Amino acid sequence: MIKVMLVDDEEMALQFLQGLIDWESYGFQMVGSADNAGTALKMFLQRRPQLIISDVKMPGNSGLDFISEVRKYDSDVRVLFLSGYQSFDFARRAMQLDSEDYLLKSDLTKENLLSHLLPLKQKIDQKARMQKYTLRSIMEDLFSGKYEEAYYRSVLSEHDFRKLGREYIYVIFGMRKIPDFVREILPNYEDDWYEEEYRCENLIENEAASFGMTIVSSFSLSSHTKLAVLDPGIKDSAELVSSLSSYAHAVCEHPESRRLFALYFSERMTIRRFLTKWQSMRPEILNAYMKPGAWVRDGYSMLGSAASHKAAKKDADEREEINETQIIESLKKGERELADAALSELRNAVKQEDGTAYLWHMKKLIGVVAYFDGRVLNSETHMHFSAYEKARAYRLFDCREMTEFIASKLEELISIFSYQGTKKYSRSISAAIAFIRENYMDMELSTAMVSGKVGLSESWLSTKFKDEVGMSVSDYINGIRVENAKRMLEESDLMIYEVSDQCGFTSNQYFSKVFKAIVGSTPNRYRKEHS
């Protein structure tokens, strides 16, 4: 299947393209569509299509601008432009960007589209066949277990086959990414790992020559690790170790790298022997993920840590485990002991740099956070909880910052539940809450207006409200507005701007910004998910 991505600022045009042909029956897999150049570039870097079909004229950055950015990362992806008008200047710029061709929208029929697509598919398939038996692709196949080494004796020349048996040296580059189970709970958290992954692939390739080594192959071992297979060109052992270490440091400490770490192996060995080594190294790679900064080490030095981590994990397993349900139920009662104990286990895993324990405890605590996400947890104050809110202040790929984010969310839950059913507000704060809930739709509503109605100075109301309610007056106003906006989005057919107006927001843009900060998604996306 050829992976295809569509880009057009008009939703109807995207829908028309998607339905114009049965893509799969012709050997194409639709991997995504985008309505602007910024979103399209992020999607391209994440999903890596082999073919892009893009409109040329879009608001802001055009299709030409988009492909110009794509070419900085990938010179091989095929491009078919769509245009609403015929222009020599456009055609000239398209050719400069190595576009295959462009198709006028007025000529867009099933037959015409296929007349452009099928030759492109043939070119992509032909190139894939040519690359199938290169040393790079064969090494990747050996690691994946697709074929045994003996299979290639029948398809390679004797000279090329002997290269599989040569001894090379290796560097495993790991990238710290947000765990998948966290990404599922915070799908709108913006993380540019895919951009850095592309940049680092180029660094891995380009830096080797600076240290007297040649890249034989490089490919992904897993979703967060990449292997560089190197022909050293250096005979002296001490010089080889020094060059290999310097190469790994150069890649990991490059200004464009923020989250890489590396393990290098200076002992020369065949690719098959290193495959066995890799299979035993996986737990150590996970523990290396826990190291801070651009961490680089001799891979063999990590092997000695396996026993100590295994012993620590055994001790943890023998202790009585606090489960997710217990933490949730205790928080509902306003009790913090179990949450604090689970957080302590998480922090201990980070301190011990134990990747297995970290993921185990993190999955449990992020599950607690997810359980309460989007719920109104205090009927008196209308206090709600958002798992996404404030996430952007943390680099969640860093285990230490991820732990502090979880700590802040647990503290927020504890703060909310500590008021539930037990807090009696002073007369002035009760009056302020009632006034806000009755007048949230007023665009002029502010701390100053509320203070005037309850007979307190603005500064004193701000202090007293924060002490009793646990949040600022403005945050409380926004929270009430967003809760009502969510109800309207779920239950009515009002346009987004109408919901914004009726909930008291001064502009649609500000409404979207506040809504996303609290809920974690845009109003439009929220409606699609809850209607």
Side-chain angles (χ1 to χ4, degrees), residues 176 179 224-225 261 263 278 281-291 302 309 353-360 399:
R176 299 178 182 90
H224 62 280
T225 56
F261 59 92
L263 299 174
W278 155 248
M281 278 288 294
R282 292 187 182 188
E284 314 321 315
I285 298 294
L286 186 55
N287 292 336
Y289 172 94
M290 307 295 293
K291 309 289 184 180
M302 289 293 291
H309 283 295
E353 297 177 343
D354 186 334
T356 303
Y358 167 75
L359 292 177
W360 175 261
C399 62

Side-chain angles (χ1 to χ4, degrees), residues 1-2 21-28 110 114 118 121:
M1 286 286 187
I2 304 300
I21 63 172
D22 183 349
W23 292 86
E24 288 194 5
S25 69
Y26 288 101
F28 296 96
K110 175 180 177 180
L114 285 173
L118 296 180
K121 181 179 184 297

Side-chain angles (χ1 to χ4, degrees), residues 151-397:
Y151 166 80
Y152 293 102
R153 184 177 291 278
S154 62
V155 297
L156 293 177
S157 68
E158 186 63 27
H159 174 73
D160 288 340
F161 182 76
R162 280 201 297 268
K163 289 182 180 179
L164 291 181
R166 286 187 58 183
E167 294 182 333
Y168 301 102
I169 57 175
Y170 306 85
V171 183
I172 295 174
F173 291 97
M175 177 172 283
R176 299 178 182 90
K177 295 181 183 178
I178 300 172
D180 289 342
F181 58 81
V182 176
R183 190 176 300 282
E184 290 172 5
I185 291 165
L186 304 173
N188 297 305
Y189 178 81
E190 295 185 0
D191 181 29
D192 63 352
W193 64 265
Y194 40 85
E195 295 180 27
E196 185 167 336
E197 186 171 61
Y198 254 107
R199 291 194 297 266
C200 290
E201 286 175 359
N202 290 331
L203 285 173
I204 290 169
E205 295 279 340
N206 298 335
E207 290 288 337
S210 302
F211 298 94
M213 294 176 289
T214 303
I215 287 279
V216 177
S217 183
S218 63
F219 51 86
S220 296
L221 295 172
S222 67
S223 62
H224 62 280
T225 56
K226 194 171 187 71
L227 178 67
V229 183
L230 299 140
D231 190 344
I234 301 169
K235 293 185 177 180
D236 181 76
S237 297
E239 184 184 352
L240 174 59
V241 171
S242 175
S243 294
L244 196 55
S245 173
S246 297
Y247 163 65
H249 276 284
V251 174
C252 293
E253 295 171 4
H254 193 277
E256 292 185 346
S257 303
R258 295 182 301 127
R259 56 180 84 188
L260 285 184
F261 59 92
L263 299 174
Y264 60 87
F265 300 82
S266 58
E267 179 186 349
R268 291 175 172 85
M269 64 184 82
T270 64
I271 190 74
R272 294 295 295 175
R273 184 179 165 204
F274 189 78
L275 172 58
T276 304
K277 186 75 66 178
W278 155 248
Q279 290 169 339
S280 65
M281 278 288 294
R282 292 187 182 188
E284 314 321 315
I285 298 294
L286 186 55
N287 292 336
Y289 172 94
M290 307 295 293
K291 309 289 184 180
W295 188 86
V296 176
R297 289 290 186 279
D298 183 332
Y300 295 110
S301 69
M302 289 293 291
L303 295 175
S305 65
S308 60
H309 283 295
K310 189 174 181 180
K313 183 67 172 66
K314 182 180 178 182
D315 290 342
D317 290 342
E318 289 175 352
R319 290 194 293 272
E320 186 175 349
E321 187 67 51
I322 304 168
N323 64 45
E324 187 177 312
T325 302
Q326 290 172 322
I327 299 171
I328 290 170
E329 294 306 315
S330 68
L331 286 172
K332 288 179 180 178
K333 298 174 185 176
E335 300 170 354
R336 66 179 301 149
E337 289 78 10
L338 292 184
D340 285 345
L343 183 60
S344 177
E345 292 281 5
L346 178 64
R347 284 186 164 139
N348 190 49
V350 174
K351 184 178 179 180
Q352 293 184 350
E353 297 177 343
D354 186 334
T356 303
Y358 167 75
L359 292 177
W360 175 261
H361 295 298
M362 177 57 68
K363 190 168 187 178
K364 175 171 56 182
L365 288 177
I366 199 70
V368 172
V369 171
Y371 174 84
F372 292 110
D373 184 40
R375 301 190 183 198
V376 176
L377 302 182
N378 190 310
S379 57
E380 295 179 30
T381 64
H382 219 63
M383 291 169 76
H384 69 283
F385 178 76
S386 166
Y388 178 80
E389 189 174 6
K390 299 179 182 177
R392 287 176 294 176
Y394 298 86
R395 299 182 307 165
L396 301 187
F397 63 83

